Amino acid sequence: MIKKLLTVSISLALAVSVSSAFAQGSASAGKAKVASCSGCHGEDGNSAMPGFPKLAGQHQGYLVKQLQAFKSGARNSPMMAPLALGLDEQAMEDIAAYYASNKITPNPAPKLSASDDDDDVPAKTEEQLKAELNALITQGSDLYRNGNLSREVSACVACHGPYAEGNKPASYPSLHSQHADYVIKTLTDFKTGARSNNRENMMHMIAAKMTNEDIKAVAYYISSLK
């Protein structure tokens, strides 16, 4: 009887070991599977195009979760869905492991446009633009760390950490050094419900209470963090 129980225990241990190995993914295997991703996200996950997210240094669990959502249709994307449909679980883990193993690159110093839509208003000077940018980033920093009590906007720091490093165990994404344009689009999509049609989604509930200026400010702040 003891021998039989020992055999069962060893079998279960091996099964758990195999399952864990499967879940971990292989960065080297993932590198060979990202050819179709590189056009938008860069060879190492550092997208050069501000409209596409940087994936380098992102938490593996979060990346796998997003790929699963694209595949199931829970996250709608005509561009990503066909690519995710062709991936099995191991491929997702490998690709996520590869991007997670790379280091995200810092963004160049952000700039505001000197032009204005109103032809009657003169273009802003460099000093005015610099002052406006500093004020915007300061506003974003305050919103990120403290939220806005009067409009019930939660502080980003609670889930994404003091340096926007995210929360790996909870699969909350890292945000630092992400493109400001992409963060603006993402928060706007959460605000309008385009990113999630679930009205109880936490990010939707937060973004829905943010103004467009809030979104721009916190996006510029996040993009400046290294």
Side-chain angles (χ1 to χ4, degrees):
M1 182 66 170
I2 294 175
K3 190 173 182 180
K4 187 173 182 181
L5 287 172
L6 184 60
T7 302
V8 172
S9 298
I10 292 172
S11 299
L12 287 172
L14 287 172
V16 170
S17 177
V18 170
S19 176
S20 296
F22 182 88
Q24 287 175 0
S26 164
S28 58
K31 186 176 182 179
K33 299 175 181 178
V34 297
S36 59
C37 312
S38 300
C40 295
H41 299 290
E43 291 185 7
D44 62 351
N46 281 294
S47 169
M49 294 177 283
F52 294 108
K54 295 182 183 180
L55 304 180
Q58 188 57 267
H59 303 310
Q60 182 178 339
Y62 176 77
L63 291 174
V64 170
K65 186 178 178 181
Q66 299 313 302
L67 286 171
Q68 290 171 338
F70 285 130
K71 184 173 183 176
S72 69
R75 183 174 173 184
N76 182 36
S77 172
M79 185 179 294
M80 282 300 303
L83 297 173
L85 281 171
L87 301 175
D88 59 22
E89 289 298 317
Q90 185 63 62
M92 291 182 185
E93 294 286 353
D94 291 343
I95 289 171
Y98 170 67
Y99 284 132
S101 71
N102 295 330
K103 188 175 181 179
I104 194 169
T105 56
N107 293 315
K111 292 183 179 180
L112 295 178
S113 174
S115 62
D116 196 290
D117 293 335
D118 190 343
D119 293 334
D120 296 329
V121 177
K124 295 173 183 175
T125 65
E126 287 296 323
E127 287 186 358
Q128 288 174 321
L129 288 171
K130 186 175 181 180
E132 187 177 327
L133 177 62
N134 288 338
L136 188 68
I137 291 177
T138 298
Q139 178 185 346
S141 174
D142 182 64
L143 189 63
Y144 183 92
R145 297 182 179 281
N146 303 309
N148 186 302
L149 188 61
S150 65
R151 284 187 278 108
E152 300 181 339
V153 177
S154 301
C156 311
V157 68
C159 293
H160 296 286
Y163 304 104
E165 71 276 18
N167 185 321
K168 188 175 181 180
S171 290
Y172 294 149
S174 169
L175 302 177
H176 69 87
S177 297
Q178 188 56 263
H179 293 305
D181 285 0
Y182 179 72
V183 177
I184 289 171
K185 180 185 182 304
T186 300
L187 286 173
T188 301
D189 285 348
F190 276 125
K191 179 182 174 74
T192 62
R195 174 73 182 260
S196 174
N197 56 14
N198 178 7
R199 311 305 288 184
E200 296 180 0
N201 176 276
M202 180 169 56
M203 281 305 306
H204 168 73
M205 290 190 290
I206 294 170
K209 298 171 183 176
M210 296 175 73
T211 65
N212 291 337
E213 185 180 349
D214 287 338
I215 289 174
K216 183 177 180 180
V218 80
Y220 269 69
Y221 173 68
I222 285 169
S223 73
S224 70
L225 293 175
K226 298 178 175 62

